[in-house]
Amino acid sequence: MLTLRQMRYFEALASTRHFGRAAELVHISQPALSAQIMEMEEYLGARLVERVRGKTILTRKGEEILAHVRIILNEVNRLERSARSDGGTLQGLIRIGIIPTVAPYLVPQFIPQLRQGYPAVEIELKEAVTSRLIADLSEGKLDVVIAAMPIEAEGIATRSLFTDRFFMAVAENGEAVLMSPLTETEVNVDRLLLLEEGHCLRDQALAVCSAGKRSLVNFGATSMATLLQMVSHDMGMTLIPEMAIPTETSRNAIRIVPFAEPQPSREIGLAWRRSDQRDADMAALAEVIIAASPSPYEEAA
């Protein structure tokens, strides 16, 4: 008989494409996971995975079965949430994905307010780049994503939350002399430090500073914290979102320079599956996040 456990193990293997990592993900031994996959293959009468040069790949039949498995697991998750909830707003489990340039600055503000306002909610958080989060959302692994807009994906509904302005961060006692307010023509793109490929803030920084592809930046950081540490040591300058300023100026020797009007910005929003039918939950979550959003930054006189 095919079991939910086997389907969850198969989905973990399909996501990681690695028996060892899949076993860690579902908290069992690798031999136990392999045995369950073999039992699943035997029951279905089809080979689902292949091992090629140390890699795990899905067969054509495996890819076909995976699509059905994810639909089933998504429906089971909805059933479990419904069983745990008494029908009220934001009760039971909600799995939230959030991009790295938002998470450190928004999570400490809105999670306590969310728990205070909705004590029956169970929260799971995942931090990743937008493309990975939207893929997980579409596959039913997440319930909602907090990211920079626009988000365009089939079957995904969105709602804007707040505007997050961009500023330029330079070393407090560095060589760069930037006049306030700053125009894009005054930015030395050769000293512009960026996040690595995949982060939407990287593309936004290139757009704001009109760098395009004429400037090849030789460093790509994995986090905003790393970028700003480099800036504080006068290794370059970088774009900083308004929400990050209070935290990062308190721990880095950096100076914040505003842009001239119209100031560049990004729009932070929510994304969720239309088919999930949790509009009331999404509206309540949005209200909490908006209430917890950072106050506007005001340049010191």
Side-chain angles (χ1 to χ4, degrees):
M1 182 178 71
L2 187 62
T3 67
L4 283 174
R5 178 177 296 175
Q6 289 170 345
M7 286 189 278
R8 288 191 170 109
Y9 292 171
F10 176 61
E11 201 281 330
L13 180 60
S15 297
T16 60
R17 305 297 168 113
H18 190 278
F19 275 88
R21 288 195 291 271
E24 291 177 3
L25 191 63
V26 294
H27 309 294
I28 62 170
S29 67
Q30 184 173 331
L33 182 133
S34 298
Q36 289 295 317
I37 298 299
M38 290 176 62
E39 285 186 21
M40 185 175 177
E41 289 178 319
E42 184 177 349
Y43 178 81
L44 294 173
R47 191 177 184 188
L48 304 180
V49 298
E50 296 179 13
R51 290 186 176 183
V52 180
R53 298 193 184 100
K55 297 181 179 179
T56 300
I57 61 174
L58 297 189
T59 63
R60 182 176 299 178
K61 179 60 70 171
E63 294 283 4
E64 181 183 326
I65 295 298
L66 176 63
H68 292 293
V69 163
R70 282 176 168 163
I71 291 172
I72 292 169
L73 292 179
N74 188 33
E75 290 301 313
V76 169
N77 288 335
R78 290 179 63 183
L79 175 63
E80 290 174 345
R81 287 199 305 268
S82 177
R84 285 194 295 264
S85 172
D86 64 4
T89 303
L90 284 176
Q91 297 196 10
L93 178 65
I94 184 166
R95 300 164 298 173
I96 303 172
I98 186 166
I99 58 174
T101 56
V102 170
Y105 315 113
L106 187 60
V107 167
Q109 306 301 321
F110 91 87
I111 290 297
Q113 292 191 29
L114 183 61
R115 285 178 170 155
Q116 181 179 1
Y118 300 94
V121 72
E122 300 173 42
I123 304 164
E124 286 186 6
L125 290 175
K126 177 177 181 177
E127 182 180 309
V129 296
T130 303
S131 59
R132 180 66 263 165
L133 294 178
I134 296 302
D136 285 350
L137 180 63
S138 298
E139 293 168 5
K141 297 176 184 177
L142 292 172
D143 299 309
V144 62
V145 165
I146 303 171
M149 307 290 276
I151 296 172
E152 298 176 355
E154 186 177 355
I156 301 299
T158 61
R159 170 175 173 166
S160 180
L161 296 172
F162 58 89
T163 299
D164 190 28
R165 295 181 297 170
F166 289 131
F167 293 74
M168 188 62 71
V170 298
E172 194 170 57
N173 298 308
E175 296 179 1
V177 178
L178 296 179
M179 300 300 293
S180 176
L182 179 67
T183 63
E184 64 179 40
T185 58
E186 295 175 288
V187 177
N188 182 356
V189 294
D190 293 328
R191 300 196 75 232
L192 187 63
L193 300 175
L194 302 174
L195 291 170
E196 64 182 2
E197 294 282 357
H199 290 268
C200 56
L201 188 58
R202 176 188 177 93
D203 298 329
Q204 291 159 347
L206 289 172
V208 168
C209 300
S210 300
K213 294 186 177 181
R214 62 187 175 85
S215 175
L216 298 178
V217 181
N218 59 11
F219 182 83
T222 58
S223 71
M224 178 63 63
T226 301
L227 276 185
L228 292 168
Q229 286 176 17
M230 296 178 67
V231 169
S232 69
H233 288 90
D234 203 22
M235 297 176 67
M237 63 183 71
T238 196
L239 211 66
I240 182 172
E242 186 170 23
M243 64 164 53
I245 292 176
T247 299
E248 298 300 345
T249 53
S250 69
R251 62 189 183 191
N252 291 292
I254 56 177
R255 182 168 64 90
I256 304 301
V257 183
F259 282 91
E261 296 289 350
Q263 290 181 286
S265 64
R266 61 179 180 174
E267 197 70 18
I268 304 301
L270 282 185
W272 68 95
R273 292 184 308 281
R274 296 184 189 277
S275 61
D276 205 15
Q277 299 178 349
R278 300 181 70 180
D279 289 353
D281 282 352
M282 296 304 114
L285 179 61
E287 289 178 6
V288 172
I289 296 173
I290 292 170
S293 60
S295 301
Y297 169 73
E298 294 184 5
E299 188 178 11

